[in-house]
Amino acid sequence: MDRVDASAEQMTPAAADGHQVPESIDILKIMQSIPHRYPFLLIDKMVEIHAGQSAIGIKNVTVNEPFFQGHFPSHPVMPGVLIVEAMAQTAATLVVMTLGAAFEGKLVYFMTIENAKFRRPVGPGDQLRIHVDKERSRANVWKFKGIARVDGVAVAEATFSAMIMG
């Protein structure tokens, strides 16, 4: 049996093929869903998962992040491109959770990134709450709107599309 958070006992409505999708998942289920690993796995947990529609990814930003060694040692700032990557990982995990076990570990490739905006720096001690909402999907191409927030304040946003390789 897969390990999920205690709150995952509540399930969201069934995905398209009828399998149940938990409302939240832990890092082990994320790692089962997408192939990313340290140091490039940029989400720690997902909550408020709504199959085929939306989810929130959580990234706890710590001073131990490898990118802070060079960006910037005296004033650590999480690179904006990594925030967009965290949005994509949240969306990819949502897609895999929606499509089911046959898609676990499949590669997902960016196709477009549009209207990326970075509103304030993210640093050690911040918790990113990465909201992704599906705008549309057709076959294996999905388009999402992502907004990353710290303490309820938007710090970055982007619209992006990706293709899952099945």
Side-chain angles (χ1 to χ4, degrees), residues 96-151:
V96 170
M97 297 296 298
T98 299
L99 296 177
F103 287 86
E104 288 178 355
K106 298 289 184 185
L107 295 177
V108 180
Y109 294 112
F110 267 126
M111 294 178 65
T112 65
I113 300 171
E114 302 167 334
N115 302 315
K117 295 180 177 84
F118 305 99
R119 305 204 177 277
R120 85 161 184 82
V122 173
D126 287 339
Q127 182 183 72
L128 282 175
R129 292 183 63 86
I130 304 152
H131 301 248
V132 296
D133 291 291
K134 180 186 85 171
E135 289 193 340
R136 66 178 171 267
S137 64
R138 177 179 282 168
N140 61 341
V141 177
W142 293 63
K143 185 172 184 177
F144 286 89
K145 168 76 175 177
I147 300 175
R149 294 184 171 94
V150 173
D151 296 328

Side-chain angles (χ1 to χ4, degrees), residues 11-78:
M11 300 293 218
T12 60
D17 70 354
H19 73 273
Q20 293 292 310
V21 176
E23 288 184 354
S24 68
I25 59 172
D26 66 8
I27 190 66
L28 296 177
K29 185 65 177 171
I30 291 168
M31 289 174 35
Q32 183 179 333
S33 298
I34 60 176
H36 303 75
R37 296 295 179 265
Y38 178 85
F40 218 69
L41 181 58
L42 297 173
I43 54 175
D44 299 316
K45 179 180 181 177
M46 286 181 53
V47 297
E48 298 181 33
I49 300 168
H50 301 281
Q53 295 302 313
S54 65
I56 298 173
I58 296 176
K59 167 65 177 161
N60 296 305
V61 182
T62 73
V63 75
N64 297 318
E65 306 291 346
F67 47 80
F68 286 145
Q69 293 177 25
H71 198 268
F72 302 98
S74 63
H75 184 74
V77 175
M78 183 174 185

